[in-house]
Amino acid sequence: MSVNNAPTKTAPAAPAEPSPATLHEPRYTPAEIEPRWQQRWAEQPNLYGAEPASSDKPKYYVLEMLPYPSGQLHMGHVRNYAIGDALARYMWMQGHNVLHPMGWDAFGLPAENAAIKNNTPPREWTLQNIAAMKRQMERIGLSYDWRNEITTCLPEYYRWNQWFFIRMFERGLAYRKKSKVNWCPECCTVLANEQVINGRCWRHEDTIVEQRDLEQWFLRITDYAQELLEDLGKLDGWPEKVRTMQRNWIGRSEGAEVTFDVEDAASVPDDELATRHAGTAVLPAREDVKSSDKKITVFTTRIDTIFGATSVQLAPEHPLVKEFAAANSALGDEVSALLEQQKKARETGDIGAIEKHGVFTGHYAINPFNGERLPIWVANYILLDYGTGAIMSVPAHDERDYEFAKKYGLETRIVILPRRTLDSTTGDRANGSIDEPMIPYTAEDSLLINSGEFNTLGNKEAQQKMAAFAEEEGFGKATVTYRLKDWGISRQRYWGTPIPMLYCEKDGIVAVPDDQLPVLLPENVEITQQGGSPLARLPEFVNATCPKCGGPARRETDTMDTFVDSSWYFYRYTSAKDDKAPFDTAAVAYWFPVNQYIGGVEHAILHLIYSRFWSKVMRDLGLIKNDEPVERLFTQGMVIKDGAKMSKSKGNVVSPDEMIARYGADAARAYSLFAAPPDRDLDWQEDGVAGVSRFLGRVYRFVIRYADRARKAEAVSSVPTSATSQALLRKLHQTIRKITVDFSGRWHFNTCIAAIMELVNTLTAAETAIAAGEVPDVVLAEIVRDLVLLLAPFAPYLSFELWEKIGEQGDLLRAPWPKYDEALAREDEIEVPVQVNGKLRAVIRVAAGTDE
RNA sequence: GCCGAAGUGGCGGAAUUGGCAGACGCGCAUGGUUCAGGUCCAUGUACUCGCAAGGGUGUGGGGGUUCGAGUCCCUUCUUCGGCACCA
């Protein structure tokens, strides 16, 4: 309606009945109700406890990602836990035996930073934060089984990190090597590849990660690359987005390695040497030219194009480049420049955009397939850490090689043709017939030319035959390369699990024996921001005895990446008090896999790939039976305010405490479910919380108003029906159906809560009829009772309060979820629109169930 | 560049299978209740023409299939997320 004519408008205002209900009604006061129930729940420590494996209920393990104890819950946590809590409560009510645990990812850098800033020991700071956050969780009313709470920074937990580490060491899955590692100058420690995002630290998005040469401990996750990739196919309860991200991260690529000999320059006749120039030309095969002892192995996915190779390209850091540069300082300088460009590109994050530069080394490599000698170049776009750090360059059939060749005037040789080209030009393919504009021609469905005995083969077939040929001849083989690298877990920091290793002059690297575990993290450590492991400054920690020879040994002073802690924590929840083993294998066999895991998508390729790896290792150790830890994964969206993720730096943080103080925990958590579907980003609007709070108030008053009638209702065999009670029951059963169906998979809790709102709107609209006695007490009792049950997963405080008010004695959490009756939910008549030529012509009413 | 998700009122979002687009909530408007209000209640609220009855237009844009399209097909634009000289 238009609103600009208010004066003339006569409001229908059927003199609003002085609604007796509104006069002296009790008000909904969450500030009074919620603490009272919180107190009562606290007096029943086993309220949300899972039953043992002997339970006759089907098991259901619902898990939310454990938080880092920063000291403050934020709205992202509240949302995450509200989703999990609704599910846990629903599953209990559906008759499942539910494990719903919580713990603390308690090691990590912030504790050390806080220690420096406030002069508080990391342990104390962390434990205080845990206590504070636990209080917040209890205030929110989350249904955790706290009996199996874990805190990863306590020795009872981290000793098992050490135990696992030693098991992996024994099997060669943990090893030490010197290599280039990512160094965050802000964290003063090494980072895993997964913790580097566009060349920046995952915790410091403005800090460029440096490369350093360090000796570090690695876990051989690459041993499981293939299985990690394959088993993604089994995880159909995971979001496709996460599976794709992991697939990309593992980055499998099939191809071949081919080893090129490097020509011995001394064997080249003088007349040829005189004609050599800038390394742009391929030199023909010559019997009298000998190989040196140097070799270059290249990785290629297109061995079928090897006859088209016109140069070999090395990464600036390739070991052979160092040898070449040692004898040629001018080359050394140019290579340094190339390396500099590559580093810079990595740091700025657009390595794909830098201009290609290269330099000719003056050396030639011999193509083992035809004896041709290819100039060896160094190029800034070749990465040492992918493949072999060396490639064969085929300008006619690779975009990058083409670009490079064009810039430096290298030869271009066509060795594959589109199949269709050959259909029309059946005979001579010797010189090919690709038009210049078609180059680089990279299509896979093609045929070989100019490739000696491999001519006319299809390229797929050629790839197999050529790799097989290389293997027979001993200069290559088919191989698979992964982008995934081994997981570097050494951290030069204090607040983490000590790596349980010793260095003995006589016996070398020795594991700490199991009976000496845990290697305790010392408490009296001075923490500073200066580099180097803080533990190295504690002689009483460093100096140890070799368990093999009894002689002096030096203790490892690095600690483990905190992602080790979270890689297996959910197994420990099944038996957190076990002091003989990381967990009770029988309990794990009962509870695993986790039925539903809920957390943020930011862990898609950190925690979620590490923990899959860890599970597979534990399976191979014989500890567990399951191949995968998590059956279904749900990634909830972020909480946004004013268009940006809530963060202190942006100043748009909404504190859960403040929301709870103002509207109550029920309203805050129900709003976090109502404002958006859980997998999407949620735009926080405080007025919306007020709206949900109003709704809860309407529920409260409605139920209280009829609590007496509901309580006194007596079951009767036949209920007199009226149109009103029919309509109300229909709406009720439609609502039950909607929410039940949604819990089975779709999880659009926003529409579930909307459905309850609709139900309440329908009920309030019928109050005149109810007052007039058109709805029997039994019906009213059913409606009121089911309404409270429907609300229980979303607003537990209010539900418990009303449950008691309507005279129920039993535990609401274990009360059976209401069943819907299809017959009652069905509409008697439905309206069917009839359209002709796009115009609505009529709406006809037909009995429900009428066919088309 | 490649892969993925999403574009619907003033706002958050509904519309599991093609069937009256805008449920539910916020906001806003009017009225009532109230000493007061970050209270409660009622009614209205996509846009647009019209005093009204009533009409027209509408789900990022363009085309198509269909009696009927937010939904299916083709094409295109925009936003967000991931990967990226990966050989």
Side-chain angles (χ1 to χ4, degrees), chain A residues 62 150 165 524 628 632 640:
Chain A
V62 55
I150 60 170
F165 183 89
N524 56 331
E628 289 285 340
R632 284 170 56 96
I640 302 282

Side-chain angles (χ1 to χ4, degrees), chain A residues 397-409:
Chain A
H397 305 299
D398 182 281
E399 310 259 355
R400 296 153 298 172
D401 295 349
Y402 181 72
E403 186 189 335
F404 188 87
K406 214 166 149 190
K407 177 167 177 180
Y408 288 99

